[in-house]
Amino acid sequence: MIITTVFSIIITMNGYSLEHLITAVVAGQNDRAVSIAEVLLKNGTSPESLIQDGLTVALRSLDAKCTAEEFNLLEIMLAGRAMMTVMDNVIATHLLSSSTIEPVPEKTIIIGTIKGDIHELGKNVVKMMLKAQGLRVIDIGKDASPESFVKAAMLESARFIGVSSLITLTMPFIREIRPLLNDTGLDNVKILAGGAAIQQASPSDLNVDFVAQDVFDAVHYLNGLTS
Amino acid sequence: MTSYERVLNTIEGKGIDRVSAAPEIFGLSARINGYTIKQYVTDAQTLALCQIKSQQVFGCDIVFAFADTALEAEAVGCRLYYPDNAYPYIVDHIIKTSKDIDKLKIPDPFRDGRMPLVVEACRSMHNELKDDCVVTACVPGPISLAAQLSGLETFMFLIADDLDSVEKILNFSEDVIMRYAEALLKSGAHSIMLFDPVASPAVVPPSVFKDLEAPRLKRMTDALRAMGSKFLWLSIAGATQKILPLFSGIGIDLATVDYVVPISDAIRLTEGVIINGNIKPLSFVTAQPDEIKQIAINCLNEAKGRFILGSGCEMPLESKPENIGALIDAAVSSPL
Ligand code: B12
C-alpha cells in the first residue's frame, strides 16, 4: 500500500504515466515513447505492464480508428515502429533472458510471404501488430516455400501459420500447406491467410482456416481462438 | 474502324463503332504464347512478339510496351534477382541513406539496364501494327519509382521523418521517368501510361498524393503531351476514391480503377476523365468465360459511354486465355 503510494507520487513527479506512453506510441513519436518508457521503468513499472497496459493498448486503439474507408497505413507503421523501438531499446535491455512472451504453442505463429511473391509490407505490419498482442512471431521472410512454413511450425511448436500474398499466382502454393501439415501430424495448426489478392478468395479456395480482410480482422480471429 | 481510331475517338469524344477494350495484359501474353516471364522481360523481340500475337488472337485495342516494375530502378543501379518464370525483383536498393541521393545518375534510355529493350520493343510493335493499334508504353509514377529506389518501408518512414529527402528522390525519379518516356515516344509509342501503384491510398496517405504526386503528374502530363503522347493514362490500384477528385486537374485523359472502386463512383468523381476498368483480378483465374462476359457487360451498362473496358489491374499471369476473349466479346457484342 505504502509502496504503491510512493510509486504514484514518483510517477506524478516525473509527469509520466502509461497514458503518456500510449499517446506517444499512437502518434508514432519514437524518441518520446522511448524516453517515457525509460522513465516508467526506472520508476518501477514492470516490463510486463509496459507491454500489456501500454504498448498493446496503444496498438489496439488503432483498430477502432481504422475502418475500411479510413485505413491510414503510414499511421499504423509509425505506431508500430514506436512500439518496436520501445521493445528493442528499452524492454529488451531490462528483460535480458527472461522473456515475457512465453514460447508456448498457443502464442506462437509462423508468418511469411509465400513462394512466388515478394510483397512484404503487409506481412510486416501484421507481424508488428501480432507482437503487440503478445504473440511470439517467427518471420520466415518472403518467397517462402510451403515446406518452409511447415518446417518452421514444427521446429517452433507453433499453433498458427500466417501466409501473406498479394498476387493470385501463388494460390496453388498456399493450398499445399494444409496437406503438408497433415502429413507431418500437425493437424491442429491453424492457417490464416491475408493480402490484397488472396483476400478475394474464400478459406476453402485456399485450403486454410481463415482469410483476413485486414490485420485487425486477423487479430479478432486470433483473440477469439486464444481467449 | 481500326483499334487506333476507336481509342482515339473515345478519348476525343468522337463517334465510335463499339466500346474499346484494353485489358492490362503484360506477362500473361508470354504465358499464353509459351514463353517464360524471364524471356519476356529480357528480350525485346519476345516481348513485342507476345504482345502482337495476343492482340491478333484476341483483338485488344491497345498493346503494351512494358516489362516489369523493377526495370527503371535497375537502370538507376538497383540489383535484381530474376526467377525463371516470375517477374524479377530488387534485392539491393540503391538509396540506403539520404547521402546516396546526390550520387544518383539519370540513366540513358538507349544504353542503360533494360531500358533499350523496351525502346526496341516499342519500335517493333509500331513497325508491325503501324497506326492500326495503339502502342502504349508504361512508365512508373514518381512515388512508385522512388519507393523502388529506396525500398518501400524506408520510403514510408522517410515521408514521416525527412520530407526534404523525399522531395529530392521524387525530383530525381521524375527526371528519370521523363527521359525514359521521351525515348519511348520517339521510338513509336503512341501514348504513355503512368503506372503508379504505390501512390494508392492503400499505401501512402491521400495528402501525400495531393501535395507531392499530383503537382508532379500535372507537370509530367503537360510535357509528355508536348512530346507527342496522343493521350495520357494513369493507373493506380486499390481504393482510390479519396484521390479521384484530383484526377481532373492533373492532365490525364484516361484512368484505370480497380474492382474496389465502383465505376459509377469513378465517373462521378473524375470530371472529364475517361474510366477504364474494372474486374476482380482473381475472377480471370477462377471464373468461367460466360461469367466474365456478364461482369464486363455490367461494367459497360454502369459506365454508359466515355469508357474503355479493361481489367482494372494487371491481369494475373495464370488467367484463363478464354477469359480475355470473353472480355473482348462483351465490348464487341454490346450496343453503344
Ligand atoms: C508496394 C507494391 C509493390 C512493391 C512491393 C514492395 C515490398 N517490399 O513489399 C513492388 C514494387 C516491389 C511490387 C512488385 C510487384 N507487384 Co505490387 N503492389 C504494391 C502495392 C502498390 C501495394 C501493396 C502494399 O504493400 N499494400 C499495403 C499493405 C499493408 O497491404 P496488404 O499487403 O494488403 O496487407 C494488409 C492486409 O491484406 C493484411 N495482410 C497482409 N498479409 C497478411 C498475412 C496474414 C497472415 C494476415 C492475417 C493478414 C495479412 O494485413 C495488412 C494490413 O491490414 C499494390 C497495389 C495497391 N495499391 O494495393 C501492388 C500490387 C499488389 N502488385 C501487383 C503486381 C502484379 C506486382 C508485380 C507482379 C508487378 C510486375 N508486373 O512486375 C510485382 C511482384 C513481383 C513478385 N514476384 O512478387 C498487383 C497484384 C495484382 C494481381 N493481379 O495479383 C497490385 C495489386 C498492383 C497492380 N495494380 O497491378 N509491388
Side-chain angles (χ1 to χ4, degrees), chain A residues 68-74 77-78 81 116 118 120-121 124 142-143 167-172 196-202 205, chain B residues 31 81 83 85-86 89-90 152-153 156-157 159-161 201-205 208 242 259 280-283 285-286 316-318:
Chain A
E69 299 80 44
E70 291 292 338
F71 195 92
N72 189 332
L73 177 64
L74 186 57
M77 287 178 69
L78 292 175
R81 179 175 68 171
I118 50 108
E120 265 201 301
L121 189 56
N124 293 348
K142 59 191 177 191
D143 205 4
I167 51 178
T168 51
L169 191 63
T170 58
M171 284 176 50
I198 57 173
Q199 72 197 28
Q200 302 163 35
S202 68
D205 289 338
Chain B
R31 288 271 180 127
Y81 170 71
N85 207 6
Y89 55 83
I90 301 174
L152 183 54
E153 264 174 87
M156 295 290 282
F157 287 131
I159 292 177
D161 301 338
V203 188
V204 300
V208 169
K242 283 248 166 74
Y259 77 100
K280 232 185 207 187
L282 185 57
S283 18
V285 182
T286 53
L317 296 177
E318 73 286 24

Side-chain angles (χ1 to χ4, degrees), chain B residues 159-235:
Chain B
I159 292 177
D161 301 338
D162 182 0
L163 265 186
D164 284 346
S165 292
V166 171
E167 292 265 8
K168 272 195 192 169
I169 306 175
L170 289 175
N171 289 341
F172 173 78
S173 300
E174 182 182 336
D175 291 344
V176 172
I177 298 160
M178 289 306 290
R179 194 142 167 218
Y180 180 42
E182 183 176 22
L184 294 163
L185 286 167
K186 276 191 183 143
S187 312
H190 294 111
S191 70
I192 295 291
M193 173 202 270
L194 291 151
F195 192 62
D196 207 2
V198 182
S200 169
V203 188
V204 300
S207 59
V208 169
F209 182 85
K210 177 168 173 279
D211 298 337
L212 301 181
E213 195 73 339
R216 286 189 171 77
L217 292 176
K218 172 72 175 112
R219 201 156 59 211
M220 292 166 79
T221 54
D222 285 346
L224 290 168
R225 210 180 293 279
M227 286 174 192
S229 184
K230 299 277 185 249
F231 60 95
L232 274 312
W233 184 352
L234 178 65
S235 177

Side-chain angles (χ1 to χ4, degrees), chain B residues 70-138:
Chain B
L71 179 135
E72 298 82 7
E74 177 186 43
V76 175
C78 295
R79 202 156 46 80
L80 306 194
Y81 170 71
Y82 287 81
D84 283 333
N85 207 6
Y87 288 114
Y89 55 83
I90 301 174
V91 288
D92 192 21
H93 298 280
I94 192 155
I95 301 178
K96 297 194 174 64
T97 72
S98 51
K99 290 199 197 75
D100 298 325
I101 305 170
D102 295 326
K103 291 185 259 168
L104 300 174
K105 280 220 279 296
I106 297 170
D108 176 349
F110 296 99
R111 232 191 41 215
D112 292 325
R114 288 173 296 134
M115 282 182 169
L117 177 162
V118 183
V119 168
E120 191 190 326
C122 250
R123 206 173 283 130
S124 303
M125 286 191 265
H126 191 168
N127 286 345
E128 179 72 26
L129 301 167
K130 306 283 184 291
D131 288 333
D132 289 341
C133 178
V134 177
V135 178
T136 291
C138 309

Side-chain angles (χ1 to χ4, degrees), chain A:
Chain A
M1 179 66 188
I2 296 171
I3 297 177
T4 7
T5 322
V6 173
F7 207 68
S8 22
I9 292 170
I10 298 173
I11 292 176
T12 349
M13 268 168 43
N14 277 284
Y16 287 142
S17 66
L18 283 167
E19 274 308 313
H20 292 101
L21 177 65
I22 295 171
T23 313
V25 170
V26 170
Q29 295 163 327
N30 237 1
D31 298 343
R32 190 172 151 78
V34 167
S35 26
I36 296 175
E38 266 163 0
V39 171
L40 289 175
L41 274 182
K42 211 183 289 153
N43 293 344
T45 309
S46 71
E48 287 79 3
S49 168
L50 218 57
I51 296 175
Q52 276 309 315
D53 310 322
L55 302 179
T56 306
V57 175
L59 285 220
R60 271 196 192 150
S61 75
L62 292 174
D63 184 352
K65 278 178 75 184
C66 290
T67 60
E69 299 80 44
E70 291 292 338
F71 195 92
N72 189 332
L73 177 64
L74 186 57
E75 202 174 274
I76 298 176
M77 287 178 69
L78 292 175
R81 179 175 68 171
M83 177 206 86
M84 294 304 282
T85 318
V86 172
M87 292 275 258
D88 294 346
N89 296 357
V90 187
I91 296 178
T93 53
H94 278 76
L95 290 177
L96 294 171
S97 56
S98 78
S99 170
T100 44
I101 303 171
E102 322 116 74
V104 293
E106 289 70 29
K107 285 200 176 287
T108 303
I109 180 164
I110 310 298
I111 190 162
T113 300
I114 191 86
K115 185 163 133 184
D117 191 5
I118 50 108
H119 292 91
E120 265 201 301
L121 189 56
K123 179 208 68 179
N124 293 348
V125 170
V126 174
K127 170 169 138 189
M128 197 171 76
M129 208 56 110
L130 295 183
K131 278 193 176 168
Q133 300 292 318
L135 285 174
R136 185 171 158 256
V137 187
I138 314 285
D139 183 356
I140 61 166
K142 59 191 177 191
D143 205 4
S145 68
E147 293 80 9
S148 61
F149 279 90
V150 175
K151 201 165 146 204
M154 195 157 64
L155 289 175
E156 303 288 345
S157 309
R159 185 58 48 82
F160 304 103
I161 285 179
V163 198
S164 182
S165 177
L166 274 74
I167 51 178
T168 51
L169 191 63
T170 58
M171 284 176 50
F173 299 129
I174 299 175
R175 279 195 287 267
E176 282 174 26
I177 299 177
R178 171 57 63 202
L180 284 170
L181 280 174
N182 293 350
D183 291 349
T184 330
L186 298 175
D187 305 56
N188 62 350
V189 172
K190 294 245 186 282
I191 311 172
L192 289 72
I198 57 173
Q199 72 197 28
Q200 302 163 35
S202 68
S204 62
D205 289 338
L206 297 170
N207 205 1
V208 300
D209 297 282
F210 185 71
V211 178
Q213 292 307 310
D214 62 36
V215 59
F216 300 111
D217 201 18
V219 169
H220 297 157
Y221 172 77
L222 287 171
N223 283 343
L225 288 180
T226 48
S227 64

